Amino acid sequence: MTTDEITDLLTGAYIDELETVMNYQTNAIVLDGIHAEEVKTSLEEDIQEELGHAEMLGERLKQLDESPPGSEAFEANQHSLQPPEDTTDVQSVIEGVLEAEESAIETYRSLIEAATEANDPVTEDVAVTILADEEAHRTEFRGFQKEFPMD
């Protein structure tokens, strides 16, 4: 049986994925410099994956007879992922991505736990699938963090 906790976590994750898309897109556009190209390419690729996550979450909400939220429910939370004033500050974007991925990982682990307790294997499967992607993103950006110069 699905609980309010599950639908709340699904709804929050849906909004977070769309906020991530917005911030990844903006940073992929604004970053400048030779060190930025690989990070920009990775962000551009991740945008499609994050949109796919939002779609999966929205579909699961619909299956649970809930509606994914519209823009009026949106409240920005990814303060560390805002585009840097210095558009060559690739490291701040990397750190923002890592913070966003850590937050997503925490959310999906909570969703897995709640779904397991509620005997909701479909939601659990959705969360496990997305969690694997988020952990892969984190690993990639940890590599960037080690590789790219700190200002």
Side-chain angles (χ1 to χ4, degrees):
M1 188 70 172
T2 302
T3 66
D4 288 342
E5 179 184 12
I6 290 173
T7 55
D8 289 348
L9 285 165
L10 286 166
T11 299
Y14 177 84
I15 291 170
D16 290 348
E17 293 290 353
L18 292 176
E19 182 178 11
T20 298
V21 167
M22 183 185 305
N23 287 322
Y24 282 11
Q25 181 67 61
T26 300
N27 281 302
I29 291 169
V30 303
L31 283 178
D32 291 315
I34 192 162
H35 298 294
E37 290 308 312
E38 193 171 356
V39 171
K40 289 172 66 163
T41 298
S42 179
L43 290 172
E44 289 166 352
E45 291 169 0
D46 289 350
I47 288 166
Q48 293 308 311
E49 205 163 269
E50 303 295 349
L51 277 172
H53 295 165
E55 185 175 352
M56 289 171 64
L57 296 163
E59 289 295 329
R60 184 63 187 143
L61 283 163
K62 177 74 172 164
Q63 292 164 357
L64 297 172
D65 205 28
E66 297 286 334
S67 179
S71 62
E72 288 183 355
F74 177 77
E75 183 178 318
N77 293 308
Q78 295 178 347
H79 306 291
S80 66
L81 197 49
Q82 298 306 299
E85 285 186 34
D86 174 0
T87 59
T88 64
D89 185 2
V90 178
Q91 193 62 244
S92 73
V93 173
I94 292 168
E95 291 168 11
V97 169
L98 285 170
E99 188 175 309
E101 295 299 346
E102 289 293 342
S103 177
I105 288 166
E106 183 179 313
T107 296
Y108 292 116
R109 286 184 177 160
S110 295
L111 185 55
I112 291 165
E113 184 178 318
T116 300
E117 290 175 9
N119 194 25
D120 181 350
V122 175
T123 298
E124 183 179 355
D125 185 55
V126 167
V128 167
T129 299
I130 297 173
L131 176 62
D133 291 341
E134 302 298 1
E135 288 184 349
H137 294 163
R138 179 182 63 187
T139 299
E140 179 183 26
F141 275 83
R142 280 181 176 165
F144 287 150
Q145 188 178 44
K146 293 175 186 174
E147 187 177 313
F148 285 82
M150 300 268 305
D151 291 337

